[in-house]
Amino acid sequence: MVERTESESRKLLRRLRDTLAEAGAGQERLDRITHLIADSMRSEVCSIYLFRDDETLELCATEGLKAESVHKTRMRLGEGLVGRVAKASSPINTANAPAEKGFRYMPETGEEIYSSFLGVPIQRLGEKLGVLVVQSKEARAFSDDEVYALEVVAMVLAEMTELGAFVGEGEALAALHKQPVLFRGATGQEGSAEGQVWLHEPRVVITNPVADDPKKEQARLNEAVAALRLSVDAMLTTNDGVDKEQKDILEAYRMFANSRGWLRRMEEDIARGLSAEAAVEKEQSAARARLESVPDPYLRDRLHDLDDLSNRLLRILTGQGSDTGAEMPPNPILVARNIGPAELLDYGRKLKGVVLEEGSVGSHASIVARALAIPLVIHAERITTEALNGDRILVDGDQGVVHLRPEETVASAFRDKIAMQAAAQSRYASLRDLPATGLCGTRIQMHMNAGLIADLPSLAGSGAEGVGLFRTELQFLIRAHVPKRAELVAIYARVMEAARGKRVVFRTLDIGSDKVLPYMKRVEEPNPAMGWRAIRVGLDKPGIMRMQLQALIRAANGRPLTVMFPFVAEFDEFRAARRHLLDEIERERHLGHALPERVEIGAMLETPSLAFAPKEFFEMTDFISIGGNDLKQFFFAADRENETVRRRYDMLNTSYMSFIEQIVARCAEGGTQLSFCGEDAGRPIEAACLAAMGIRTLSMRPASIGPVKHLIRKINLKELRAAMDEARAAGAVNLRGPVMSWLSSQDI
């Protein structure tokens, strides 16, 4: 019985392939297909519903229902049995459709006489395309073999829909990957860019979903799976020294590669008429569908592993490697699910922007994007499914928005925005050599943040007076092993030379949380942002800290040296870290090495607790830099990785500004230099308010220096402070409104 059904399935697929090969418009093909399926499955009705938008399904072809209902009958996602199939991405098989929960009667179709219902999703790699339905008058449940056969047919329809076989009039028959699409993600790095899509992992295109010779396809699959297993074994052998987490991932790869269940399901797909490639993709699509409904993060990660493994297998079968021979466009915008820091740096400044489906504001990719000063949008869900190499794309890092294949009106408005920003930057260039001095005579030091040697040319071009934060972790994150001390000495020396005597604040290794070194054992923590990170790692594992401090001392080679310890939460942590640095200086003295001309030792204030440290701390530390990004999230108890809450809290909240005022007062009392480093330092209004509250040094990305300096030079900071104090005294919960009113009164 099974063999007969399999033969019928192969016969149906061959007929389907022949039908698709015939000339005709998309609607004609759909009509022929519904007739073919109904005839082959001996059912009175076969209908194809396709999405006309993300939430609406449209009846596009039918055999058995009233012809006038085609392109007239529509339903929302989740509405009726068809909508339920689409929403859950799983079949519904019932002998009594009207009695099913959620059944919706569509009178214009004439379907009231049909009792049995079988609906399966038409989907490809997580992309919902539509629903394929068969119905009959006889009250019976369709057999497992019939369900399976219809799923195989739906998979082929999905593949052919992807290839544009059903293009016609109307939204539901619009060509895929041709229409404008808007993605709302989150800001990883500010800035705007226009360019063309460059996929980090180009999509595998399957042009032969149906095969005539199952034995040949079975042999191809077995050969490819054997090659896959060998490659996974090789990865485990060559990465013998990796940490436990990476080894677990590779072991999961090996487990899936050797899974008999996975291979058996693909073999069954081939037996029913699919090519080896189509069988792999069918199982991959099923895994993607399961992924959407799995709440457990560990299982979701394992399904990601299976997804990645399927892509590897598809590339082996098709020969479509990462290098497809396509040339990178002149203005490439990188689109990827996720990407590591080393891979992103390999692309370098050729990229105009980056768009990721995953990522986080503190991820490796975000750090590198900031260092490269390129716009980054994260959490742009499903963009890798929708985008094709060469597609026109607009990236708005300021708003966390991406326009794929935009309409000309949108593109024109976007270009106007970029032109205005460019014109403003041109105006700001005239301020490059002028000081950031308010009308009241208050002088604000303008420093820049950096993380790569390539950033240092911006010192002169931006008008920055120094580097207020040099992130040293990038040199650790982009390597597969701990960098050697000599390598770090050379890098730090080049940074100091490139600065040409300007002050560079080197922040020691800030790892942990979402910045995990590839060669470091990951510590599983329920809340890593408040866990074992930064100075805590350095004090608990002093070997790397000592090596880094030695490298900084030797790189200075008689020049001034400024070192800042990150994420200091209490005085004892700073005292211990400072002692490490002084001990290394003494050790270098004994070795006869050149010592820095002078040494400044500071701390980054990122936790509210440090603001309440003993007076001795403020007297001992040479300087404090407020790490605004972390401080704000801890002050408001609002995770900056959580889009639901991060935007609810404003730096100009009265409580937060009063807290900043308290820090300013404590530093003034102890004679401690104070600066502010973070995203808010680069926003003109926020920066002006920080300056008005008494902070005299701001550190930001180079592109923000011009706008901030422009505003500060146009206002009286003392009058701004008076306006803020007046609003606070009047009970204002947030100062943004009063500040904006005051700026308007100044004709700014």
Side-chain angles (χ1 to χ4, degrees):
M1 178 68 182
V2 173
E3 179 58 37
R4 187 193 68 78
T5 303
E6 290 175 348
S7 298
E8 288 297 320
S9 177
R10 289 200 298 271
K11 181 179 177 181
L12 169 58
L13 286 178
R14 283 198 298 272
R15 291 178 65 189
L16 182 60
R17 181 190 58 193
D18 294 342
T19 297
L20 289 167
E22 294 175 12
Q27 186 64 56
E28 292 177 64
R29 285 178 167 174
L30 284 175
D31 292 341
R32 290 200 297 262
I33 288 168
T34 54
H35 174 76
L36 184 156
I37 295 172
D39 179 61
S40 296
M41 295 195 68
R42 301 177 182 87
S43 61
E44 288 96 341
V45 174
C46 176
S47 304
I48 295 175
Y49 297 81
L50 298 176
F51 278 99
R52 59 179 283 115
D53 57 48
D54 289 343
E55 295 293 327
T56 311
L57 285 152
E58 181 177 300
L59 176 62
C60 290
T62 187
E63 171 77 12
L65 300 184
K66 292 181 179 178
E68 55 267 29
S69 64
V70 173
H71 298 302
K72 300 284 176 56
T73 296
R74 294 171 186 166
M75 60 197 69
R76 304 292 288 173
L77 183 65
E79 181 183 14
L81 298 188
V82 173
R84 281 177 55 198
V85 171
K87 185 172 184 178
S89 296
S90 61
I92 290 179
N93 180 13
T94 176
N96 187 0
E100 280 291 313
K101 178 183 178 182
F103 174 81
R104 182 189 169 195
Y105 171 54
M106 311 291 283
E108 71 274 15
T109 65
E111 64 179 336
E112 68 273 10
I113 61 175
Y114 302 107
S115 181
S116 300
F117 175 97
L118 170 60
V120 299
I122 303 172
Q123 59 189 0
R124 183 180 187 272
L125 302 183
E127 184 178 16
K128 299 176 190 289
L129 300 173
V131 177
L132 174 61
V133 175
V134 290
Q135 296 170 275
S136 64
K137 294 177 182 177
E138 180 188 355
R140 70 179 183 92
F142 289 87
S143 70
D144 290 344
D145 286 329
E146 287 174 314
V147 174
Y148 198 102
L150 200 65
E151 287 182 320
V152 170
V153 171
M155 187 269 164
V156 174
L157 291 179
E159 209 61 51
M160 302 317 293
T161 301
E162 170 80 10
L163 294 172
F166 309 122
V167 175
E169 294 184 9
E171 294 295 326
L173 297 185
L176 296 180
H177 313 297
K178 299 293 183 184
Q179 303 303 310
V181 187
L182 171 66
F183 295 91
R184 296 191 182 278
T187 298
Q189 166 65 14
E190 296 168 340
S192 302
E194 177 180 8
Q196 292 171 283
V197 168
W198 181 251
L199 290 166
H200 179 56
E201 292 182 339
R203 58 199 300 136
V204 174
V205 178
I206 297 175
T207 57
N208 60 328
V210 181
D212 287 322
D213 189 343
K215 289 183 179 179
K216 180 181 177 182
E217 294 305 303
Q218 183 67 64
R220 291 181 62 235
L221 178 66
N222 289 337
E223 185 180 335
V225 169
L228 177 69
R229 288 170 177 170
L230 284 174
S231 70
V232 173
D233 288 342
M235 282 192 289
L236 272 162
T237 303
T238 56
N239 290 280
D240 193 44
V242 300
D243 64 38
K244 183 177 182 299
E245 185 193 29
Q246 289 175 293
K247 192 168 184 178
D248 286 347
I249 291 172
L250 292 175
E251 288 289 3
Y253 270 29
R254 178 147 68 182
M255 179 189 72
F256 286 130
N258 288 279
S259 167
R260 282 300 308 162
W262 183 48
L263 185 58
R264 186 186 67 253
R265 289 191 296 273
M266 292 188 290
E267 289 171 343
E268 290 172 352
D269 293 330
I270 289 173
R272 284 170 166 81
L274 291 183
S275 67
E277 293 91 336
V280 173
E281 191 169 279
K282 180 177 180 296
E283 290 309 308
Q284 187 180 7
S285 291
R288 285 273 187 106
R290 291 194 296 271
L291 174 63
E292 293 181 353
S293 59
V294 172
D296 185 280
Y298 176 80
L299 291 178
R300 287 175 69 92
D301 284 343
R302 297 292 71 78
L303 283 169
H304 270 311
D305 295 339
L306 181 56
D307 200 23
D308 290 337
L309 205 64
S310 298
N311 284 330
R312 288 175 181 269
L313 186 55
L314 280 171
R315 294 190 189 287
I316 293 171
L317 280 165
T318 62
Q320 298 176 33
S322 297
D323 184 4
T324 61
E327 289 188 14
M328 184 180 286
N331 297 304
I333 305 287
L334 186 74
V335 174
R337 195 172 81 184
N338 215 336
I339 190 170
E343 294 172 301
L344 188 50
L345 278 171
D346 283 343
Y347 286 106
R349 296 184 186 275
K350 291 180 290 188
L351 299 177
K352 299 300 180 184
V354 178
V355 182
L356 301 178
E357 286 192 359
E358 300 176 0
S360 65
V361 295
S363 68
H364 306 160
S366 297
I367 294 167
V368 174
R370 290 186 202 115
L372 296 174
I374 53 177
L376 168 66
V377 171
I378 56 178
H379 304 160
E381 294 182 6
R382 299 194 182 282
I383 191 167
T384 58
T385 304
E386 180 63 44
L388 295 177
N389 269 341
D391 280 345
R392 188 164 57 155
I393 185 171
L394 311 175
V395 180
D396 188 339
D398 302 321
Q399 302 297 322
V401 168
V402 178
H403 299 272
L404 183 65
R405 299 183 292 268
E407 294 177 344
E408 190 52 41
T409 53
V410 173
S412 178
F414 192 84
R415 290 189 198 107
D416 288 344
K417 175 183 176 178
I418 292 177
M420 289 174 64
Q421 290 175 337
Q425 287 294 337
S426 179
R427 291 196 302 273
Y428 300 144
S430 64
L431 305 176
R432 185 184 62 191
D433 299 322
L434 299 176
T437 304
L439 298 179
C440 53
T442 303
R443 174 85 156 80
I444 306 300
Q445 293 282 326
M446 307 291 285
H447 290 187
M448 61 172 267
N449 301 330
L452 297 169
I453 295 172
D455 294 333
L456 273 299
S458 297
L459 256 176
S462 66
E465 298 167 80
V467 178
L469 169 65
F470 189 88
R471 305 180 184 93
T472 61
E473 56 270 14
L474 279 179
Q475 286 71 42
F476 288 80
L477 289 169
I478 62 177
R479 286 171 166 78
H481 54 79
V482 179
K484 296 178 180 177
R485 181 175 59 192
E487 292 176 322
L488 293 180
V489 171
I491 291 169
Y492 299 152
R494 287 171 61 193
V495 170
M496 293 182 195
E497 288 160 8
R500 298 187 178 182
K502 291 184 177 179
R503 182 174 183 253
V504 179
V505 178
F506 289 93
R507 184 179 69 186
T508 60
L509 197 57
D510 186 4
I511 56 171
S513 186
D514 54 1
K515 291 178 286 190
V516 180
L517 301 181
Y519 41 82
M520 178 180 173
K521 181 179 179 181
R522 187 183 187 114
V523 178
E524 293 299 329
E525 300 177 284
N527 192 344
M530 299 178 72
W532 195 57
R533 54 176 289 204
I535 193 65
R536 298 167 181 176
V537 177
L539 293 176
D540 289 350
K541 302 286 185 181
I544 291 181
M545 178 190 272
R546 285 185 55 196
M547 185 263 287
Q548 186 180 27
L549 294 176
Q550 290 167 5
L552 285 166
I553 295 165
R554 294 182 187 183
N557 195 28
R559 289 178 287 236
L561 175 64
T562 304
V563 177
M564 177 169 65
F565 295 106
F567 206 64
V568 177
E570 59 179 7
F571 182 25
D572 281 347
E573 290 176 336
F574 175 75
R575 185 156 41 195
R578 181 175 180 272
R579 173 46 52 196
H580 275 295
L581 177 53
L582 295 177
D583 286 347
E584 293 309 318
I585 291 174
E586 193 58 34
R587 187 172 286 108
E588 293 295 298
R589 186 193 309 279
H590 285 310
L591 292 173
H593 295 159
L595 299 179
E597 175 187 329
R598 65 177 183 278
V599 178
E600 292 179 289
I601 307 174
M604 207 157 196
L605 195 157
E606 299 168 271
T607 63
S609 61
L610 195 61
F612 300 93
K615 181 180 179 183
E616 186 183 353
F617 163 70
F618 291 90
E619 293 173 343
M620 178 179 289
T621 185
D622 294 317
F623 65 94
I624 288 174
S625 179
I626 296 174
N629 297 341
D630 264 329
L631 183 63
K632 189 163 66 173
Q633 79 165 340
F634 294 133
F635 184 86
F636 289 112
D639 183 358
R640 64 192 182 107
E641 302 292 349
N642 186 336
E643 288 300 309
T644 308
V645 298
R646 69 185 288 256
R647 295 185 183 277
R648 294 179 61 183
Y649 299 96
D650 188 355
M651 193 206 84
L652 296 187
N653 174 281
T654 301
S655 299
Y656 187 71
M657 293 308 295
S658 296
F659 184 54
I660 294 294
E661 180 183 40
Q662 179 181 335
I663 296 170
V664 170
R666 294 218 65 189
C667 287
E669 180 186 358
T672 310
Q673 297 179 50
L674 177 64
S675 64
F676 188 100
C677 173
E679 294 172 3
D680 288 322
R683 296 177 176 136
I685 292 170
E686 285 84 342
C689 291
L690 289 168
M693 295 302 291
I695 293 176
R696 296 293 175 256
T697 302
L698 301 171
S699 189
M700 64 203 75
R701 65 188 183 111
S704 296
I705 290 175
V708 171
K709 184 186 290 187
H710 174 73
L711 180 59
I712 287 176
R713 287 178 57 86
K714 292 182 68 175
I715 62 175
N716 185 312
L717 292 171
K718 292 181 179 178
E719 292 181 5
L720 173 57
R721 172 61 183 268
M724 294 168 68
D725 287 345
E726 182 180 346
R728 286 196 292 172
V733 175
N734 190 290
L735 301 180
R736 188 168 296 277
V739 166
M740 296 303 293
S741 296
W742 181 83
L743 288 172
S744 296
S745 71
Q746 308 298 304
D747 294 326
I748 295 172

